[in-house]
Amino acid sequence: MTKKTVKTKLRPLVAGNWKMNGTGADMKQVRALVKTLSGNHRYACDTMICPPATLLSRLAALRTSLKASRKLALGGQDCHAAVSGAHTGDVSAEMLKEAGASAVIVGHSERRSDHGETDKQVKAKVEAAHRAGLTAIMCIGESLKQRKAGDTLKVVGKQLRGSLPDGCTASNTVIAYEPVWAIGSGLTPTVEQVAQVHLALRKALQRRFGEAGSTMRILYGGSVKPSNADELMAVPHVNGALVGGASLTARDFSGILAAYKA
Ligand code: 13P
């Protein structure tokens, strides 16, 4: 079977969310990834790694030394809504920016569940990202219980409305649809299920933000791996992926990028 490469109007983004994984020893994965990105193959997508905050400035320096600043973007995994202050353990969007990030993930379901983050708090974090000049990668997604109850569109619609401030544009905001039950489980929704949600999100973004809503990227996340990336990335209104486990090695991550091989 000949491999079909995915063609889409919007330039897709494939972002790796390392979550609480990665120490200095794992920087070699980024080195290897940059080698792939600098090799003979061309990928028609933007590529980003969101490492733990402890590695951001080290990876930014590595990227500079490899002359790969344009090839690989870096992002944070969360930020506090404030610029600075008495918030032990937190990191501000401005700090991430200074460390080399151009984006930050906000409202990931693990933050929503582990830290009880609400749509209102996530919205404040999106505003913080914009204030600092970062692109907010805002995550939404339904639980298995909500999907089984037939509430998926209602749930993600509410999260989308509640978690996005006014003034979102295609350059300062990316949406990531990540069904909670698909994260780290090896399970993925069918392409029809992904298509249904992404179309609903596209329409909701257009209603709220007009033209900007047509060009804002909507990523799919949840058990994306080299073997299912082609199929998932070909779904209408899927403009890239937010990848967890499979972003930890250059080999797997490159296998996902291959869906966009030019
Ligand atoms: P997995 O790719 O490991 O399922 O994680 C998805 C995710 O949560 C990315 O943010």
Side-chain angles (χ1 to χ4, degrees):
M1 198 172 81
T2 50
K3 187 175 169 307
K4 277 202 222 111
T5 42
V6 180
K7 294 223 173 11
T8 151
K9 277 196 300 195
L10 305 182
R11 185 168 170 86
L13 167 66
V14 179
N17 174 9
W18 278 16
K19 309 191 179 184
M20 201 171 71
N21 298 292
T23 59
D26 298 294
M27 289 171 63
K28 64 175 184 290
Q29 298 299 337
V30 173
R31 200 179 273 277
L33 178 64
V34 166
K35 205 167 162 197
T36 303
L37 294 172
S38 309
N40 290 332
H41 298 306
R42 291 280 166 267
Y43 298 96
C45 63
D46 293 334
T47 308
M48 182 186 294
I49 292 287
C50 302
T54 46
L55 282 184
L56 261 181
S57 56
R58 290 176 76 184
L59 288 182
L62 174 67
R63 190 178 58 168
T64 306
S65 75
L66 297 173
K67 299 191 172 40
S69 299
R70 296 223 187 132
K71 292 198 165 72
L72 180 69
L74 295 172
Q77 297 178 9
D78 176 51
C79 65
H80 193 280
V83 179
S84 62
H87 304 290
T88 304
D90 279 318
V91 177
S92 74
E94 281 76 4
M95 291 167 179
L96 295 172
K97 170 105 177 174
E98 194 199 22
S102 55
V104 59
I105 297 168
V106 292
H108 192 281
S109 66
E110 287 150 15
R111 299 286 319 171
R112 290 177 187 263
S113 64
D114 293 0
H115 300 270
E117 289 187 9
T118 62
D119 289 343
K120 197 172 159 210
Q121 286 168 317
V122 174
K123 183 179 175 181
K125 292 181 181 212
V126 175
E127 285 169 333
H130 294 172
R131 182 190 65 219
L134 297 180
T135 297
I137 302 176
M138 201 284 287
C139 306
I140 54 177
E142 83 287 2
S143 67
L144 190 57
K145 194 169 162 217
Q146 289 164 330
R147 174 159 285 275
K148 283 189 171 157
D151 289 337
T152 299
L153 295 184
K154 200 172 85 187
V155 168
V156 297
K158 184 164 178 279
Q159 289 176 323
L160 191 76
R161 275 193 305 281
S163 306
L164 289 182
D166 291 336
C168 290
T169 67
S171 58
N172 70 17
T173 309
V174 171
I175 309 302
Y177 167 56
E178 301 204 304
V180 177
W181 52 274
I183 294 176
S185 64
L187 302 172
T188 49
T190 63
V191 290
E192 290 78 17
Q193 287 171 327
V194 175
Q196 184 198 32
V197 175
H198 279 245
L199 178 62
L201 294 175
R202 175 65 66 213
K203 286 183 176 164
L205 290 170
Q206 287 169 332
R207 274 196 304 274
R208 170 113 183 248
F209 300 106
E211 183 50 33
S214 302
T215 49
M216 227 175 262
R217 292 180 286 192
I218 309 174
L219 313 184
Y220 168 78
S223 296
V224 179
K225 45 191 183 226
S227 59
N228 61 20
D230 282 352
E231 183 180 59
L232 288 165
M233 297 305 105
V235 174
H237 301 294
V238 172
N239 313 120
L242 185 56
V243 185
S247 70
L248 295 173
T249 64
R251 208 181 82 173
D252 284 347
F253 198 52
S254 306
I256 292 168
L257 293 175
Y260 293 114
K261 212 179 257 184

